[in-house]
Amino acid sequence: MEDIDLTPFCKTKAEAMDFSARLSTIVSHIFQTSFDLEHELSQELGIQKKDLFLFLLRDKNINPSAQSDLKDFLSKLQEIALNMPVLSISLAFEPKEDTLTFLSEWFLTNLHKQVLFDIVVDSNLIAGAAVSYQGKFLDFSIKPIFTRILEESLSPTPVAK
Amino acid sequence: MNNLLLQAITVVANLEIFIFVLYYIWRLRQKEKELEKKEGKIDFTYHQIVDNALTRERKILEDATQEADQIIVNAEYVNQESKDEVDAALHKMMTDIQKETLATAQKFIGSYQESLKDISHQSINDFQSVSKQMQDDLKAQIKMFHENLLPNLQKEVDEYKKTKMQQVDTSVTQIIQKVSQEVFNQTISLEEHHKLLADSLDKAKKEGIFD
């Protein structure tokens, strides 16, 4: 169960906290007599994510009717969502869903793990990204290169004697 | 008999009384005549006295009037004479005062002009000396300015110009940088951004950030 991919449900830290809160709501309704899992998932996650969630349940062999198993599974998902490592990344543009998906896929493909993104938009970076992860920071944007080139262009060249 | 006696006595008494009364009346009449005589005399004397008094009064009044007229005439004469004398004296006094005033004024004007001349000479001398002093001070200050202040001032101006030019250069550079960044940012497509992101993450992986 450790390799559960929660990418379709949350990619950023804020989304993970929201996802966890919605799971808490579903958990609180599980033991009600009128509990309907599909209805609850539609309400909390939307139709598209409901289908993905049901697929996940089938993939992990969780019986939706078994309330205890379902509750344990949902609690586990909450734990995973809240404990995922967070990557602070500064971008030069406002990322949309496809950019977040691109980033998530890169991590799954290259590092085989999911991380949550803490996105900061900084247009001064121009392009590329500045990354901060578990106390380490590096600037891979093109700003330093751009600044260096610009300064070289604006500085007068010394006249050869 | 007694009654007759009594009547006789009564008659006698009455006769006596009657005689007495007649006599009294006659005496009274005499007295009255005397009194009238006296009264006439007194009246005549009174009128005489009054007439005398009136006469004398008229005389006195005439004399007094005459004397008063005389006095007035004399007084008018004296008054006119005095007036003429006073006028003459005043005229003379006025003339004297005019002469004296004129003399004093001329004397004062002369003295004032002398004083003004002295003061103006003194002022001109003082002014000349002060001007000379100021001229010398100014020359010294100009010399000091040229020797000390002007080089420092020139140096400060040069430094200021240099600082300002550096500030202008920095501002221009910042503006160009800012504009270039924004233009460059907007010209990069999403795919190119993704590619650059992937390159950045690859570099980060190689640097060992994700270890």
Side-chain angles (χ1 to χ4, degrees), chain A residues 87 91-93 98-99 102-103 106 110-111 123-124 126-129 133 136 138 140 142 146-147 150 154, chain B residues 173 176-178 180-181 184-185 188 190 193-194 196-198 200-205 207-211:
Chain A
L87 172 77
L91 301 176
F93 61 99
D98 45 0
T99 303
F102 170 79
L103 287 169
W106 186 93
N110 290 277
L111 297 175
S123 59
N124 290 326
I126 305 172
Y133 184 71
K136 301 172 196 170
L138 278 170
F140 297 107
I142 66 169
F146 182 85
T147 305
L150 190 68
L154 292 176
Chain B
T173 306
I176 292 172
Q177 189 167 1
K178 189 81 183 163
S180 304
Q181 280 175 2
F184 199 62
N185 190 308
I188 296 176
L190 186 62
H193 271 299
H194 285 182
L196 289 166
L197 266 177
S200 301
L201 291 173
D202 287 337
K203 285 179 195 170
K205 182 183 169 188
E207 293 283 337
I209 281 188
F210 305 119
D211 295 338

Side-chain angles (χ1 to χ4, degrees), chain B residues 102-119:
Chain B
L102 195 64
T104 307
Q106 282 172 347
K107 195 174 166 188
F108 180 73
I109 287 168
S111 162
Y112 183 68
Q113 281 174 345
E114 283 298 318
S115 300
L116 277 179
K117 271 186 199 167
D118 292 338
I119 289 169

Side-chain angles (χ1 to χ4, degrees), chain B residues 31 38 41 47 78 103 115-116 121 145 159 187 198 207:
Chain B
K31 286 266 182 203
K38 266 189 188 171
K41 229 188 218 175
H47 278 293
V78 167
S115 300
L116 277 179
H121 281 139
F145 176 75
E159 280 176 12
T187 54
E207 293 283 337

Side-chain angles (χ1 to χ4, degrees), chain B:
Chain B
M1 193 81 141
N2 288 342
N3 283 344
L4 278 171
L5 186 66
L6 193 65
Q7 278 178 359
I9 293 170
T10 304
V11 165
V12 170
N14 286 338
L15 276 173
E16 281 180 358
I17 290 168
F18 184 71
I19 291 167
F20 177 73
V21 166
L22 281 175
Y23 174 72
Y24 184 72
I25 289 169
W26 179 79
R27 286 292 300 167
L28 276 177
R29 182 78 186 133
Q30 289 296 106
K31 286 266 182 203
E32 191 182 338
K33 281 184 185 170
E34 276 176 19
L35 281 171
E36 277 176 8
K37 217 182 202 178
K38 266 189 188 171
E39 197 177 314
K41 229 188 218 175
I42 289 168
D43 202 27
F44 176 76
T45 312
Y46 168 73
H47 278 293
Q48 203 174 17
I49 291 169
V50 166
D51 288 341
N52 284 344
L54 281 173
T55 308
R56 283 171 77 179
E57 182 200 338
R58 270 196 284 274
K59 182 123 187 359
I60 288 168
L61 280 175
E62 278 173 15
D63 290 341
T65 307
Q66 197 175 0
E67 202 168 327
D69 286 340
Q70 190 67 34
I71 289 169
I72 287 169
V73 166
N74 290 341
E76 278 180 1
Y77 177 72
V78 167
N79 195 17
Q80 186 62 40
E81 214 175 68
S82 302
K83 201 171 160 187
D84 291 342
E85 274 182 23
V86 165
D87 281 345
L90 282 175
H91 185 72
K92 187 172 180 303
M93 204 187 313
M94 206 165 64
T95 311
D96 290 341
I97 288 171
Q98 273 180 352
K99 281 183 192 166
E100 203 172 317
T101 307
L102 195 64
T104 307
Q106 282 172 347
K107 195 174 166 188
F108 180 73
I109 287 168
S111 162
Y112 183 68
Q113 281 174 345
E114 283 298 318
S115 300
L116 277 179
K117 271 186 199 167
D118 292 338
I119 289 169
S120 67
H121 281 139
Q122 183 69 28
S123 297
I124 288 167
N125 290 339
D126 290 343
F127 182 72
Q128 279 174 347
S129 76
V130 165
S131 294
K132 179 102 179 29
Q133 182 70 30
M134 279 176 65
Q135 202 174 1
D136 293 337
D137 288 344
L138 193 62
K139 277 182 186 169
Q141 281 184 6
I142 289 169
K143 190 178 172 192
M144 192 180 79
F145 176 75
H146 277 288
E147 283 173 5
N148 300 334
L149 294 176
L150 189 61
N152 290 338
L153 197 65
Q154 188 64 43
K155 192 176 163 189
E156 281 179 21
V157 166
D158 289 339
E159 280 176 12
Y160 176 75
K161 272 200 295 194
K162 189 178 167 187
T163 308
K164 277 294 173 190
M165 286 306 292
Q166 281 173 353
Q167 285 176 359
V168 166
D169 277 342
T170 307
S171 299
V172 166
T173 306
Q174 284 174 354
I175 290 167
I176 292 172
Q177 189 167 1
K178 189 81 183 163
V179 169
S180 304
Q181 280 175 2
E182 287 189 17
V183 167
F184 199 62
N185 190 308
Q186 285 169 13
T187 54
I188 296 176
S189 66
L190 186 62
E191 290 74 25
E192 283 164 344
H193 271 299
H194 285 182
K195 185 177 178 307
L196 289 166
L197 266 177
D199 289 342
S200 301
L201 291 173
D202 287 337
K203 285 179 195 170
K205 182 183 169 188
K206 279 182 190 164
E207 293 283 337
I209 281 188
F210 305 119
D211 295 338

